Amino acid sequence: MRALRFHAAKDLRLDDIAEPMQPGQGQVLVRNRFVGICGTDLHEYSYGPIFIPTEPHPFTGAHGPQVLGHEFGGVVEAIGEGVTSVVVGDRVSIQPLVMPRSGDYFADRGLFHLSTQLALVGLSWDGGGMAEAALVNDYNVQKIPDEMSDEEAALVEPTAVAVYACDRGGVTAGSSVLVTGAGPIGMLTLLAARAAGATQLFVSDLNDSRLELAKAVLPDVITINPQRDNVGDVVRLQTEGQVGCDVAIECVGNEHALKACVDAVRKQGVVVQTGLHPHENPIDWFQVTFKDLEIKGSWAYPTHYWPRVIRLIASGQLPAMKIVTKRVTLDTAVKEGFDVLLDPAGAQLKILIDLSK
């Protein structure tokens, strides 16, 4: 079968590899339908290996070359012994986190996403979404309802990141929320905040094209370009009492964006760090103390979020499809997908790969 595999930085190859084996105990074979190109995939392509192991992964044994793709869904083609959660023919979304199910401090407490042996389908697993099929564990598949499209199934994973970030920030009805970064996760975080009841939304980004896309998705969002305006000043001017927003969610992994969050949030507000910083970054800890702030990390998502996020998308309350700006095929994914998303012009937001073509 065809698979897009990472061999080295700037070396993605469309390889012909063996079909997955028939599923064993507790396993499910999925014929993949759509897969999203994630920022993590872009980082691996540009600078990797980062998360892709160069030596066998301590839990899964996986190593390069690696089939990419952890945002995907498809149709169940076969199930192994003991699988009861899905049947052949079910359309599913993939929850890609792989870890011990017991005997691990965090797994024993239901915090599977915090396991020290965590692996991900599409990064440190024998298979991924950028192939015609994938063999996964039964806990990695979640049936989707008839009203959810195959494309939406591939958006559950990044949407779960956004929903968890809003949960970590305590976003609730009437909240004012700043999101730094108008990329796919930032846009989904705005949509998740609105779905949670936030009534005042701000987004900052250096790219005016992305800000225009944000306006197209959420016409009432207040857009800020830090090259022209001070983020904190704009947020304070627009919020009740001119004190700042309730919650600021950093979705870039950028020092200046994090500092803007600390500046823009009100006293006793919450700053949530979702973007992955490539190195240590300083912030104004005097302001953290003086403003009595909470600063929280937000890593991935609890694995039990899948049914909830599926309901949010399928109901239309969180219209994740609004962030999709292009579809490509596996044959054209590098040139028309990866390279286009790395273009500084930022004309595209979320690109899906259609694996049926």
Side-chain angles (χ1 to χ4, degrees), residues 3-332:
L4 194 61
R5 295 201 299 177
F6 172 92
H7 289 262
K10 293 294 184 179
D11 185 8
L12 294 185
R13 304 178 198 172
L14 186 56
D15 294 332
D16 186 11
I17 65 174
E19 288 270 352
M21 298 174 60
Q22 284 299 300
Q25 175 82 29
Q27 292 183 321
V28 177
L29 177 62
V30 176
R31 187 60 54 178
N32 300 336
R33 186 66 181 87
F34 282 94
V35 58
I37 301 174
C38 174
T40 303
D41 299 321
L42 294 175
H43 290 148
E44 293 289 344
Y45 173 55
S46 300
Y47 314 113
I50 302 170
F51 289 107
I52 294 173
T54 56
E55 299 293 332
H57 187 276
F59 181 62
T60 67
H63 59 84
Q66 172 69 53
V67 178
L68 291 182
H70 57 277
E71 303 176 353
F72 68 109
V75 180
V76 174
E77 193 163 89
I79 61 174
E81 185 180 350
V83 174
T84 59
S85 56
V86 292
V87 298
V88 173
D90 280 347
R91 296 185 308 125
V92 296
S93 173
I94 303 301
Q95 179 285 105
L97 305 188
V98 179
M99 76 301 290
R101 304 301 285 173
S102 63
D104 172 282
Y105 178 90
F106 295 101
D108 287 343
R109 289 156 177 80
L111 301 171
F112 297 107
H113 66 301
L114 300 181
S115 171
T116 55
Q117 298 185 70
L118 185 69
L120 281 90
V121 177
L123 285 172
S124 44
W125 174 258
D126 186 20
M130 295 185 192
E132 294 177 348
L135 185 66
V136 296
N137 300 303
D138 56 358
Y139 61 81
N140 293 122
V141 296
Q142 180 71 45
K143 183 180 178 180
I144 62 173
D146 292 341
E147 55 268 31
M148 174 175 266
S149 70
D150 291 337
E151 291 172 298
E152 288 174 319
L155 296 173
V156 176
E157 198 277 344
T159 304
V161 172
V163 171
Y164 186 48
C166 288
D167 285 356
R168 292 286 285 162
V171 178
T172 189
S175 291
S176 56
V177 180
L178 164 68
V179 173
T180 56
I185 294 298
M187 287 306 309
L188 286 170
T189 300
L190 289 169
L191 289 169
R194 175 55 52 82
T199 51
Q200 193 173 32
L201 298 174
F202 303 85
V203 62
S204 69
D205 201 287
L206 296 172
N207 189 313
D208 284 328
S209 296
R210 287 286 174 88
L211 294 177
E212 290 174 9
L213 286 168
K215 272 288 189 184
V217 173
L218 286 161
D220 62 338
V221 68
I222 298 169
T223 58
I224 311 166
N225 188 321
Q227 290 180 316
R228 294 191 295 269
D229 298 294
N230 180 277
V231 176
D233 288 346
V234 173
V235 172
R236 279 185 289 274
L237 184 64
Q238 299 287 336
T239 48
E240 181 184 0
Q242 299 186 343
V243 297
C245 57
D246 300 313
V247 183
I249 304 176
E250 205 287 294
C251 295
V252 183
N254 175 273
E255 173 185 342
H256 302 292
L258 178 56
K259 288 178 177 178
C261 286
V262 171
D263 179 40
V265 76
R266 63 166 170 79
K267 289 184 177 181
Q268 287 200 335
V270 183
V271 174
V272 179
Q273 181 60 56
T274 300
L276 296 176
H277 286 252
H279 50 73
E280 293 183 6
N281 285 321
I283 61 174
D284 187 345
W285 286 102
F286 176 83
Q287 288 298 323
V288 173
T289 303
F290 178 69
K291 295 173 75 171
D292 208 14
L293 300 183
E294 289 186 69
I295 297 183
K296 297 183 178 182
S298 182
W299 167 249
Y301 36 74
T303 57
H304 65 260
Y305 268 41
W306 243 246
R308 174 187 171 197
V309 175
I310 287 171
R311 289 194 302 272
L312 281 167
I313 296 174
S315 68
Q317 189 167 339
L318 202 167
M321 277 298 296
K322 286 189 174 184
I323 74 163
V324 176
T325 54
K326 187 176 182 180
R327 297 157 185 81
V328 297
T329 65
L330 206 52
D331 293 332
T332 62

